Amino acid sequence: MTDRSLLILPGDGIGPEVMAEVRKIIDWFGTARGISFTVSEGLVGGVAYDAHGTPLTDETMEQAQNVDAVLLGAVGGPAYDNLDFSVKPERGLLRLRKEMDLYANLRPAQCFEALADFSSLKREIVSGLDIMILRELTSGVYFGEPRGIHREGNERVGINTQRYTESEIARAARSAFELARRRSNKVCSMEKANVMESGILWRDVVTEVHAAEYPDVELSHMYADNGAMQLVRAPKQFDVILTDNLFGDILSDCAAMLTGSLGMLPSASLGAPMANGRPKAMYEPVHGSAPDITGQGKANPIACILSFAMALRYSFDLGDEAKRLEAAVEGVLADGARTADLMGPEGGTPISTSEMGDAIVAKLAA
Ligand code: IPM
Ligand code: MG
């Protein structure tokens, strides 16, 4: 028996392949470190639609509410592109985020030294990069009402609404300031206060929370378009970037690519503390379902494995064990282990998804 519970939702595409490697890591922590987990598994996304006609059943939603952490692989794929909007795979993911109220999405972008040459930017611009994007995840244009497509006269009109309340902005801001205090103590908040009222409110509330509660943290503001430009011009100027749901979606893909491969980037989505003191939490790699390489053993499991490291740190207060796992990943990369996404111009022989998982387990045990 253990008091640590996980719900694994491998999902679609390469999700099941990368999650199989995480299972090896979980097993290793159980046998070698005596840190065990009660693990259950369920369906989300297209596979849930195939089985149940919905991308997330009420039963799975209920299970997710009752575990310490959800580990999610990926959702979506070409087979589901023409489904009705309400049952698209992505709706399963968005329902989990919304109903668990996972408002703080942590997306670190760290450049591993062994991979600095894989970035599309010059080595000196990304070497040593370590930034954290705090993306608000439960509001904004992703969920705002009114929304929809309707008819006006003889043409159709598509509507989405960017809506933020003060309390939604304030709680995301607090998460960013708390993170900054444990890092380099800097927050840069990004919005479009030059054209959006919601951006003006965002800037005001962040400024107020800062003045009242976190005056020790260095705060700056930037328009999100300039932020995108600065991310590819001089990314090391940032420590924590605080931004809304839609800008965060875009800026985090941009930041992720700085590090060389989307296959490397983990994420944590956190909500309020539960009765046992642990936060509501879901962990997922930033990469998607990658239908082009699904089932070929080519996927890089590192993003998903590093997402489990984030679970160790943020859900289970096992920061030292998270570091142990991160060091093992860094170690195998330094040894030259490369999945297909990490092949440089000079080529080489890529290892498979499961070989990468095995190499990380071996490094942990070394
Ligand atoms: C992400 C993804 C999702 C999003 C999709 C799959 C709904 O792009 O997590 O960044 O837009 O939030
Ligand atoms: Mg995205």
Side-chain angles (χ1 to χ4, degrees):
M1 270 309 283
T2 148
D3 79 327
R4 297 182 204 91
S5 57
L6 296 173
L7 171 62
I8 294 188
L9 303 175
D12 304 320
I14 60 170
E17 296 166 56
V18 295
M19 202 57 87
E21 303 314 305
V22 175
R23 296 293 288 244
K24 293 178 186 169
I25 306 287
I26 294 172
D27 291 345
W28 183 84
F29 274 96
T31 46
R33 303 285 309 150
I35 298 168
S36 50
F37 299 85
T38 305
V39 182
S40 51
E41 198 165 317
L43 300 177
V44 69
V47 288
Y49 177 81
D50 290 338
H52 303 294
T54 168
L56 187 73
T57 62
D58 293 344
E59 292 71 37
T60 308
M61 186 66 240
E62 179 69 21
Q63 266 181 292
Q65 295 284 18
N66 289 300
V67 290
D68 291 318
V70 176
L71 303 183
L72 187 138
V75 296
Y80 309 105
D81 281 351
N82 297 319
L83 286 184
D84 186 73
F85 189 71
S86 64
V87 290
K88 275 192 183 295
E90 291 78 4
R91 304 310 302 171
L93 176 59
L94 295 174
R95 182 178 176 196
L96 284 162
R97 291 174 178 174
K98 188 69 179 174
E99 292 192 20
M100 292 170 76
D101 201 19
L102 305 172
Y103 61 89
N105 181 215
L106 284 59
R107 298 192 164 188
Q110 252 169 314
C111 184
F112 287 87
E113 206 42 44
L115 299 183
D117 292 319
F118 291 80
S119 173
S120 45
L121 299 188
K122 296 190 196 80
R123 165 179 268 278
E124 59 269 27
I125 292 182
V126 296
S127 170
L129 180 75
D130 178 6
I131 60 185
M132 175 74 87
I133 296 191
L134 190 294
R135 167 186 177 193
E136 196 292 326
L137 201 61
T138 52
S139 185
V141 77
Y142 272 61
F143 298 99
E145 301 278 349
R147 63 186 299 161
I149 300 175
H150 68 257
R151 201 158 261 290
E152 282 181 22
N154 56 9
E155 65 175 350
R156 289 169 301 159
V157 179
I159 297 181
N160 289 93
T161 302
Q162 167 82 334
R163 179 181 191 275
Y164 269 105
T165 64
E166 287 188 81
S167 53
E168 287 169 342
I169 300 167
R171 65 182 186 172
R174 286 191 187 97
S175 298
F177 290 127
E178 293 289 342
L179 279 169
R181 277 183 176 164
R182 278 175 274 132
R183 297 170 44 94
S184 301
N185 216 32
K186 286 201 300 188
V187 171
C188 181
S189 173
M190 297 187 185
E191 27 57 16
K192 285 281 288 177
N194 50 345
V195 287
M196 297 165 76
E197 284 80 358
S198 57
I200 295 175
L201 184 70
W202 183 280
R203 191 175 283 220
D204 284 352
V205 173
V206 171
T207 304
E208 288 159 16
V209 169
H210 174 255
E213 301 169 41
Y214 300 92
D216 54 300
V217 179
E218 190 184 315
L219 171 66
S220 59
H221 303 274
M222 208 178 261
Y223 298 139
D225 54 342
N226 182 28
M229 192 263 274
Q230 295 298 335
L231 266 176
V232 291
R233 193 187 73 85
K236 284 189 261 182
Q237 70 185 283
F238 298 114
D239 178 24
V240 175
I241 293 174
L242 163 65
T243 192
D244 76 12
N245 205 343
L246 182 60
F247 293 141
D249 180 45
I250 298 166
L251 294 170
S252 64
D253 264 28
C254 177
M257 205 54 220
L258 298 176
T259 69
S261 170
L262 266 184
M264 302 291 300
L265 275 293
S267 79
S269 305
L270 307 177
M274 299 183 286
N276 65 6
R278 292 173 182 156
K280 284 264 179 202
M282 178 160 74
Y283 299 87
E284 51 179 311
V286 170
H287 63 67
S289 56
D292 52 320
I293 57 163
T294 295
Q296 300 171 32
K298 286 186 184 166
N300 183 348
I302 290 181
C304 205
I305 288 171
L306 290 176
S307 298
F308 177 64
M310 291 187 89
L312 292 172
R313 175 174 294 119
Y314 293 106
S315 283
F316 303 108
D317 208 14
L318 293 167
D320 288 345
E321 303 298 332
K323 279 192 198 141
R324 181 189 302 280
L325 180 51
E326 288 158 353
V329 169
E330 184 136 30
V332 299
L333 292 172
D335 291 347
R338 301 279 185 270
T339 40
D341 56 306
L342 301 177
M343 285 290 112
E346 69 282 3
T349 313
I351 61 172
S352 69
T353 308
S354 74
E355 284 167 333
M356 181 60 98
D358 291 342
I360 294 169
V361 169
K363 190 58 95 176
L364 278 168

